Amino acid sequence: MARRKQVYEGKAKILFEGPESGTLIQYFKDDATAFNNKKHAVITGKGVLNNRISEYLMMKLHDVGIPTHFVRRLNMREQLIREVEIIPIEVVVRNIAAGSLGKRLGIEDGTLLPRSIVEYYLKSDELGDPMVSEEHITAFGWASYQEIDEIMSMSLRVNDFLSGLFLGVGLKLVDFKLEFGRLWEDEDMRLVLADEISPDNCRLWDVKTNERLDKDRFRQDLGKVEEGYQEIARRLGILPEAGPRDMRGPETMQ
Ligand code: TMP
Ligand code: ASP
């Protein structure tokens, strides 16, 4: 890796300064954490798969009019993104009960929800990402009323589109997490989808067998984590038969 300035390191990604102002390079690590860093492992090849899966999904969303921070893939583990001011809220959309929803409300895993439910969590490792309401978000100024309305409607559009896309390849989109950022262009600001969309932050179950193919394989020690991610990439048509090592990317930037 060339010598360049690191601007942020998270649990699964590193951000470096980009080649021109207003851009960043997003590097996908193989590290996986769960339960707010209590569990950690290295899943060989995960970063390569997530880079590719997130690129694919962000490009598809762009095609249907959802603005995103994604610019282009640079190589196996890196993509060029627009620099945004991240809104410190994790937006979770749920279609089927799983994970913390089941535990919190005593609903059996796999129960189809009466409608899609949007939840907000404050991005704070120290506090363990507590759930917050629109009232907290607007009162504390993490986002404005107008922004939260836009975030809610964009999240539901993302859900509609991705649910259909995954269903088309035999996968149920159980739930997922999104992050949004403010993109400044001169005096103008618009909200765009940021971070990543990958099996690290989606639950994806096989339509017929309900087999978990996402990060729950790691969280719940189900084994074959990389194979689950590979299967998702394969069904999306972005994994060559020979496996992820065969994935060719555009040339690395100078
Ligand atoms: P949960 O059931 O644990 O609340 O997770 C809901 C969805 O959000 C699930 O698809 C995993 C994703 N998620 C993240 O991406 N990051 C997180 O820190 C958490 C807790 C969940
Ligand atoms: N990403 C979070 C963590 O590292 C939680 C999770 O995905 O389960 O703790």
Side-chain angles (χ1 to χ4, degrees), residues 19 22 35-36 50 52 78 88 91-92 98-99 113 121 144 169 190 195 201 207 211 234 239 244 248 250:
F35 314 115
N36 203 18
N50 281 358
R52 192 66 195 259
E78 296 179 334
V91 182
V92 170
L113 299 173
Y121 295 84
S144 68
V169 295
R190 61 192 172 107
D195 191 54
N201 44 39
V207 169
E211 187 188 4
R234 193 190 63 75
L239 180 72
R248 238 167 289 144

PDB file of all heavy atoms in Angstrom, residues 19 22 35-36 50 52 78 88 91-92 98-99 113 121 144 169 190 195 201 207 211 234 239 244 248 250:
ATOM      1  N   PRO A  19      -7.426  11.003  -3.825  1.00  0.00           N
ATOM      2  CA  PRO A  19      -6.500  11.667  -4.753  1.00  0.00           C
ATOM      3  C   PRO A  19      -6.823  13.142  -4.974  1.00  0.00           C
ATOM      4  O   PRO A  19      -5.954  13.903  -5.370  1.00  0.00           O
ATOM      5  CB  PRO A  19      -6.669  10.875  -6.047  1.00  0.00           C
ATOM      6  CG  PRO A  19      -7.998  10.219  -5.931  1.00  0.00           C
ATOM      7  CD  PRO A  19      -8.263   9.995  -4.486  1.00  0.00           C
ATOM      8  N   GLY A  22     -12.207  16.334  -1.346  1.00  0.00           N
ATOM      9  CA  GLY A  22     -13.602  15.902  -1.410  1.00  0.00           C
ATOM     10  C   GLY A  22     -13.753  14.420  -1.692  1.00  0.00           C
ATOM     11  O   GLY A  22     -14.868  13.927  -1.844  1.00  0.00           O
ATOM     12  N   PHE A  35     -21.081  -7.833  18.651  1.00  0.00           N
ATOM     13  CA  PHE A  35     -21.435  -7.475  20.034  1.00  0.00           C
ATOM     14  C   PHE A  35     -20.520  -6.365  20.551  1.00  0.00           C
ATOM     15  O   PHE A  35     -19.908  -6.482  21.610  1.00  0.00           O
ATOM     16  CB  PHE A  35     -21.427  -8.721  20.929  1.00  0.00           C
ATOM     17  CG  PHE A  35     -22.139  -9.886  20.299  1.00  0.00           C
ATOM     18  CD1 PHE A  35     -21.463 -11.058  19.941  1.00  0.00           C
ATOM     19  CD2 PHE A  35     -23.496  -9.794  19.987  1.00  0.00           C
ATOM     20  CE1 PHE A  35     -22.116 -12.112  19.315  1.00  0.00           C
ATOM     21  CE2 PHE A  35     -24.155 -10.840  19.360  1.00  0.00           C
ATOM     22  CZ  PHE A  35     -23.466 -12.003  19.028  1.00  0.00           C
ATOM     23  N   ASN A  36     -20.448  -5.307  19.750  1.00  0.00           N
ATOM     24  CA  ASN A  36     -19.628  -4.140  20.075  1.00  0.00           C
ATOM     25  C   ASN A  36     -18.196  -4.520  20.443  1.00  0.00           C
ATOM     26  O   ASN A  36     -17.695  -4.132  21.505  1.00  0.00           O
ATOM     27  CB  ASN A  36     -20.310  -3.299  21.172  1.00  0.00           C
ATOM     28  CG  ASN A  36     -19.820  -1.861  21.133  1.00  0.00           C
ATOM     29  OD1 ASN A  36     -19.266  -1.405  20.140  1.00  0.00           O
ATOM     30  ND2 ASN A  36     -20.004  -1.163  22.231  1.00  0.00           N
ATOM     31  N   ASN A  50     -16.809  -7.949   0.409  1.00  0.00           N
ATOM     32  CA  ASN A  50     -17.648  -6.803   0.786  1.00  0.00           C
ATOM     33  C   ASN A  50     -17.411  -5.597  -0.117  1.00  0.00           C
ATOM     34  O   ASN A  50     -18.354  -4.866  -0.433  1.00  0.00           O
ATOM     35  CB  ASN A  50     -17.413  -6.420   2.255  1.00  0.00           C
ATOM     36  CG  ASN A  50     -18.151  -7.343   3.206  1.00  0.00           C
ATOM     37  OD1 ASN A  50     -18.866  -8.231   2.775  1.00  0.00           O
ATOM     38  ND2 ASN A  50     -17.973  -7.129   4.486  1.00  0.00           N
ATOM     39  N   ARG A  52     -16.704  -5.686  -3.211  1.00  0.00           N
ATOM     40  CA  ARG A  52     -17.385  -5.979  -4.468  1.00  0.00           C
ATOM     41  C   ARG A  52     -18.911  -5.946  -4.325  1.00  0.00           C
ATOM     42  O   ARG A  52     -19.629  -5.399  -5.175  1.00  0.00           O
ATOM     43  CB  ARG A  52     -16.908  -7.362  -4.930  1.00  0.00           C
ATOM     44  CG  ARG A  52     -17.271  -7.706  -6.330  1.00  0.00           C
ATOM     45  CD  ARG A  52     -16.552  -6.795  -7.317  1.00  0.00           C
ATOM     46  NE  ARG A  52     -17.181  -6.908  -8.623  1.00  0.00           N
ATOM     47  CZ  ARG A  52     -16.710  -7.618  -9.634  1.00  0.00           C
ATOM     48  NH1 ARG A  52     -15.561  -8.253  -9.507  1.00  0.00           N
ATOM     49  NH2 ARG A  52     -17.348  -7.683 -10.768  1.00  0.00           N
ATOM     50  N   GLU A  78     -10.341  -1.766  -2.287  1.00  0.00           N
ATOM     51  CA  GLU A  78     -10.535  -0.330  -2.113  1.00  0.00           C
ATOM     52  C   GLU A  78     -11.516   0.252  -3.114  1.00  0.00           C
ATOM     53  O   GLU A  78     -11.550  -0.160  -4.276  1.00  0.00           O
ATOM     54  CB  GLU A  78      -9.189   0.401  -2.276  1.00  0.00           C
ATOM     55  CG  GLU A  78      -8.201   0.009  -1.205  1.00  0.00           C
ATOM     56  CD  GLU A  78      -6.861   0.712  -1.370  1.00  0.00           C
ATOM     57  OE1 GLU A  78      -6.512   1.089  -2.500  1.00  0.00           O
ATOM     58  OE2 GLU A  78      -6.168   0.873  -0.362  1.00  0.00           O
ATOM     59  N   PRO A  88     -24.547  10.772  12.724  1.00  0.00           N
ATOM     60  CA  PRO A  88     -24.150   9.742  13.697  1.00  0.00           C
ATOM     61  C   PRO A  88     -25.281   8.797  14.111  1.00  0.00           C
ATOM     62  O   PRO A  88     -25.461   8.486  15.288  1.00  0.00           O
ATOM     63  CB  PRO A  88     -23.669  10.578  14.888  1.00  0.00           C
ATOM     64  CG  PRO A  88     -24.488  11.814  14.822  1.00  0.00           C
ATOM     65  CD  PRO A  88     -24.733  12.084  13.362  1.00  0.00           C
ATOM     66  N   VAL A  91     -29.283   3.496  10.827  1.00  0.00           N
ATOM     67  CA  VAL A  91     -30.694   3.291  10.488  1.00  0.00           C
ATOM     68  C   VAL A  91     -30.884   1.805  10.188  1.00  0.00           C
ATOM     69  O   VAL A  91     -30.254   1.275   9.268  1.00  0.00           O
ATOM     70  CB  VAL A  91     -31.089   4.130   9.247  1.00  0.00           C
ATOM     71  CG1 VAL A  91     -32.563   3.960   8.923  1.00  0.00           C
ATOM     72  CG2 VAL A  91     -30.731   5.598   9.467  1.00  0.00           C
ATOM     73  N   VAL A  92     -31.736   1.139  10.963  1.00  0.00           N
ATOM     74  CA  VAL A  92     -31.988  -0.287  10.731  1.00  0.00           C
ATOM     75  C   VAL A  92     -33.399  -0.441  10.174  1.00  0.00           C
ATOM     76  O   VAL A  92     -34.350   0.130  10.716  1.00  0.00           O
ATOM     77  CB  VAL A  92     -31.814  -1.096  12.042  1.00  0.00           C
ATOM     78  CG1 VAL A  92     -32.317  -2.531  11.880  1.00  0.00           C
ATOM     79  CG2 VAL A  92     -30.343  -1.104  12.475  1.00  0.00           C
ATOM     80  N   ALA A  98     -35.636 -10.797  13.810  1.00  0.00           N
ATOM     81  CA  ALA A  98     -34.357 -11.500  14.031  1.00  0.00           C
ATOM     82  C   ALA A  98     -33.527 -10.629  14.954  1.00  0.00           C
ATOM     83  O   ALA A  98     -33.855  -9.455  15.177  1.00  0.00           O
ATOM     84  CB  ALA A  98     -33.617 -11.723  12.709  1.00  0.00           C
ATOM     85  N   GLY A  99     -32.462 -11.200  15.476  1.00  0.00           N
ATOM     86  CA  GLY A  99     -31.496 -10.426  16.253  1.00  0.00           C
ATOM     87  C   GLY A  99     -32.109  -9.710  17.439  1.00  0.00           C
ATOM     88  O   GLY A  99     -32.927 -10.274  18.174  1.00  0.00           O
ATOM     89  N   LEU A 113     -42.920  -9.383   9.843  1.00  0.00           N
ATOM     90  CA  LEU A 113     -43.431  -8.214  10.566  1.00  0.00           C
ATOM     91  C   LEU A 113     -44.648  -7.650   9.838  1.00  0.00           C
ATOM     92  O   LEU A 113     -44.746  -7.770   8.608  1.00  0.00           O
ATOM     93  CB  LEU A 113     -42.316  -7.160  10.688  1.00  0.00           C
ATOM     94  CG  LEU A 113     -41.081  -7.663  11.459  1.00  0.00           C
ATOM     95  CD1 LEU A 113     -39.947  -6.645  11.415  1.00  0.00           C
ATOM     96  CD2 LEU A 113     -41.437  -7.993  12.915  1.00  0.00           C
ATOM     97  N   TYR A 121     -30.367   4.056  15.797  1.00  0.00           N
ATOM     98  CA  TYR A 121     -29.411   3.813  16.885  1.00  0.00           C
ATOM     99  C   TYR A 121     -28.337   4.888  16.807  1.00  0.00           C
ATOM    100  O   TYR A 121     -27.881   5.244  15.705  1.00  0.00           O
ATOM    101  CB  TYR A 121     -28.735   2.437  16.731  1.00  0.00           C
ATOM    102  CG  TYR A 121     -29.707   1.279  16.867  1.00  0.00           C
ATOM    103  CD1 TYR A 121     -30.464   0.846  15.784  1.00  0.00           C
ATOM    104  CD2 TYR A 121     -29.880   0.633  18.088  1.00  0.00           C
ATOM    105  CE1 TYR A 121     -31.374  -0.200  15.906  1.00  0.00           C
ATOM    106  CE2 TYR A 121     -30.786  -0.423  18.226  1.00  0.00           C
ATOM    107  CZ  TYR A 121     -31.520  -0.830  17.133  1.00  0.00           C
ATOM    108  OH  TYR A 121     -32.420  -1.865  17.259  1.00  0.00           O
ATOM    109  N   SER A 144     -31.793  17.078  11.421  1.00  0.00           N
ATOM    110  CA  SER A 144     -32.975  17.948  11.499  1.00  0.00           C
ATOM    111  C   SER A 144     -34.240  17.132  11.192  1.00  0.00           C
ATOM    112  O   SER A 144     -34.159  16.001  10.699  1.00  0.00           O
ATOM    113  CB  SER A 144     -32.833  19.088  10.497  1.00  0.00           C
ATOM    114  OG  SER A 144     -32.906  18.559   9.190  1.00  0.00           O
ATOM    115  N   VAL A 169     -32.757 -13.480  -6.494  1.00  0.00           N
ATOM    116  CA  VAL A 169     -31.675 -14.474  -6.471  1.00  0.00           C
ATOM    117  C   VAL A 169     -31.859 -15.430  -5.277  1.00  0.00           C
ATOM    118  O   VAL A 169     -30.901 -16.008  -4.766  1.00  0.00           O
ATOM    119  CB  VAL A 169     -30.266 -13.811  -6.446  1.00  0.00           C
ATOM    120  CG1 VAL A 169     -30.016 -13.049  -7.742  1.00  0.00           C
ATOM    121  CG2 VAL A 169     -30.060 -12.890  -5.245  1.00  0.00           C
ATOM    122  N   ARG A 190     -26.683  17.869   0.233  1.00  0.00           N
ATOM    123  CA  ARG A 190     -27.714  16.845   0.047  1.00  0.00           C
ATOM    124  C   ARG A 190     -27.317  15.591   0.804  1.00  0.00           C
ATOM    125  O   ARG A 190     -26.119  15.351   1.059  1.00  0.00           O
ATOM    126  CB  ARG A 190     -27.987  16.573  -1.429  1.00  0.00           C
ATOM    127  CG  ARG A 190     -26.818  16.076  -2.185  1.00  0.00           C
ATOM    128  CD  ARG A 190     -27.105  16.123  -3.694  1.00  0.00           C
ATOM    129  NE  ARG A 190     -25.890  15.820  -4.423  1.00  0.00           N
ATOM    130  CZ  ARG A 190     -25.683  14.666  -5.067  1.00  0.00           C
ATOM    131  NH1 ARG A 190     -26.603  13.755  -5.111  1.00  0.00           N
ATOM    132  NH2 ARG A 190     -24.533  14.456  -5.696  1.00  0.00           N
ATOM    133  N   ASP A 195     -21.154   4.705   3.916  1.00  0.00           N
ATOM    134  CA  ASP A 195     -20.673   3.463   4.535  1.00  0.00           C
ATOM    135  C   ASP A 195     -20.666   2.310   3.520  1.00  0.00           C
ATOM    136  O   ASP A 195     -20.104   2.451   2.440  1.00  0.00           O
ATOM    137  CB  ASP A 195     -21.523   3.160   5.777  1.00  0.00           C
ATOM    138  CG  ASP A 195     -20.951   2.063   6.642  1.00  0.00           C
ATOM    139  OD1 ASP A 195     -19.774   2.178   7.022  1.00  0.00           O
ATOM    140  OD2 ASP A 195     -21.663   1.093   6.955  1.00  0.00           O
ATOM    141  N   ASN A 201     -23.674  -6.041   7.245  1.00  0.00           N
ATOM    142  CA  ASN A 201     -24.759  -5.249   7.850  1.00  0.00           C
ATOM    143  C   ASN A 201     -26.141  -5.515   7.261  1.00  0.00           C
ATOM    144  O   ASN A 201     -27.042  -4.702   7.366  1.00  0.00           O
ATOM    145  CB  ASN A 201     -24.419  -3.746   7.879  1.00  0.00           C
ATOM    146  CG  ASN A 201     -23.817  -3.269   6.571  1.00  0.00           C
ATOM    147  OD1 ASN A 201     -24.256  -3.695   5.508  1.00  0.00           O
ATOM    148  ND2 ASN A 201     -22.835  -2.405   6.655  1.00  0.00           N
ATOM    149  N   VAL A 207     -34.259 -18.356   0.595  1.00  0.00           N
ATOM    150  CA  VAL A 207     -35.726 -18.346   0.552  1.00  0.00           C
ATOM    151  C   VAL A 207     -36.321 -19.705   0.931  1.00  0.00           C
ATOM    152  O   VAL A 207     -37.319 -19.782   1.644  1.00  0.00           O
ATOM    153  CB  VAL A 207     -36.200 -17.939  -0.870  1.00  0.00           C
ATOM    154  CG1 VAL A 207     -37.683 -18.174  -1.044  1.00  0.00           C
ATOM    155  CG2 VAL A 207     -35.879 -16.492  -1.135  1.00  0.00           C
ATOM    156  N   GLU A 211     -31.520 -20.777   5.418  1.00  0.00           N
ATOM    157  CA  GLU A 211     -30.111 -20.807   5.822  1.00  0.00           C
ATOM    158  C   GLU A 211     -29.572 -19.383   5.890  1.00  0.00           C
ATOM    159  O   GLU A 211     -29.821 -18.568   4.998  1.00  0.00           O
ATOM    160  CB  GLU A 211     -29.283 -21.611   4.803  1.00  0.00           C
ATOM    161  CG  GLU A 211     -27.859 -21.795   5.275  1.00  0.00           C
ATOM    162  CD  GLU A 211     -26.917 -22.411   4.232  1.00  0.00           C
ATOM    163  OE1 GLU A 211     -27.366 -22.625   3.076  1.00  0.00           O
ATOM    164  OE2 GLU A 211     -25.754 -22.643   4.570  1.00  0.00           O
ATOM    165  N   ARG A 234     -21.975 -14.899  -5.423  1.00  0.00           N
ATOM    166  CA  ARG A 234     -22.199 -15.785  -6.578  1.00  0.00           C
ATOM    167  C   ARG A 234     -23.619 -15.601  -7.126  1.00  0.00           C
ATOM    168  O   ARG A 234     -23.829 -15.444  -8.326  1.00  0.00           O
ATOM    169  CB  ARG A 234     -21.982 -17.250  -6.156  1.00  0.00           C
ATOM    170  CG  ARG A 234     -21.883 -18.223  -7.324  1.00  0.00           C
ATOM    171  CD  ARG A 234     -21.919 -19.672  -6.879  1.00  0.00           C
ATOM    172  NE  ARG A 234     -23.177 -20.038  -6.227  1.00  0.00           N
ATOM    173  CZ  ARG A 234     -24.335 -20.240  -6.835  1.00  0.00           C
ATOM    174  NH1 ARG A 234     -24.414 -20.124  -8.148  1.00  0.00           N
ATOM    175  NH2 ARG A 234     -25.420 -20.562  -6.147  1.00  0.00           N
ATOM    176  N   LEU A 239     -19.325 -13.092  -8.638  1.00  0.00           N
ATOM    177  CA  LEU A 239     -18.201 -13.916  -8.194  1.00  0.00           C
ATOM    178  C   LEU A 239     -17.853 -14.914  -9.281  1.00  0.00           C
ATOM    179  O   LEU A 239     -18.644 -15.788  -9.604  1.00  0.00           O
ATOM    180  CB  LEU A 239     -18.572 -14.683  -6.912  1.00  0.00           C
ATOM    181  CG  LEU A 239     -17.483 -15.574  -6.342  1.00  0.00           C
ATOM    182  CD1 LEU A 239     -16.375 -14.738  -5.721  1.00  0.00           C
ATOM    183  CD2 LEU A 239     -18.062 -16.519  -5.291  1.00  0.00           C
ATOM    184  N   PRO A 244     -13.058 -15.691  -5.195  1.00  0.00           N
ATOM    185  CA  PRO A 244     -12.770 -14.262  -5.088  1.00  0.00           C
ATOM    186  C   PRO A 244     -11.369 -13.886  -5.547  1.00  0.00           C
ATOM    187  O   PRO A 244     -11.141 -12.773  -6.002  1.00  0.00           O
ATOM    188  CB  PRO A 244     -12.940 -13.979  -3.596  1.00  0.00           C
ATOM    189  CG  PRO A 244     -12.927 -15.292  -2.908  1.00  0.00           C
ATOM    190  CD  PRO A 244     -13.376 -16.306  -3.907  1.00  0.00           C
ATOM    191  N   ARG A 248     -11.114  -9.621 -10.920  1.00  0.00           N
ATOM    192  CA  ARG A 248     -10.221  -8.613 -11.487  1.00  0.00           C
ATOM    193  C   ARG A 248     -10.816  -7.231 -11.267  1.00  0.00           C
ATOM    194  O   ARG A 248     -12.002  -7.019 -11.469  1.00  0.00           O
ATOM    195  CB  ARG A 248     -10.050  -8.865 -12.987  1.00  0.00           C
ATOM    196  CG  ARG A 248      -8.591  -9.064 -13.355  1.00  0.00           C
ATOM    197  CD  ARG A 248      -8.457  -9.608 -14.746  1.00  0.00           C
ATOM    198  NE  ARG A 248      -8.890 -10.999 -14.829  1.00  0.00           N
ATOM    199  CZ  ARG A 248      -9.508 -11.482 -15.893  1.00  0.00           C
ATOM    200  NH1 ARG A 248      -9.788 -10.734 -16.920  1.00  0.00           N
ATOM    201  NH2 ARG A 248      -9.854 -12.751 -15.922  1.00  0.00           N
ATOM    202  N   PRO A 250     -10.286  -2.794 -11.658  1.00  0.00           N
ATOM    203  CA  PRO A 250      -9.580  -1.822 -12.469  1.00  0.00           C
ATOM    204  C   PRO A 250      -8.207  -1.535 -11.870  1.00  0.00           C
ATOM    205  O   PRO A 250      -7.946  -1.877 -10.719  1.00  0.00           O
ATOM    206  CB  PRO A 250     -10.467  -0.580 -12.413  1.00  0.00           C
ATOM    207  CG  PRO A 250     -11.484  -0.826 -11.376  1.00  0.00           C
ATOM    208  CD  PRO A 250     -11.472  -2.249 -11.010  1.00  0.00           C
TER     209      PRO A 250
END
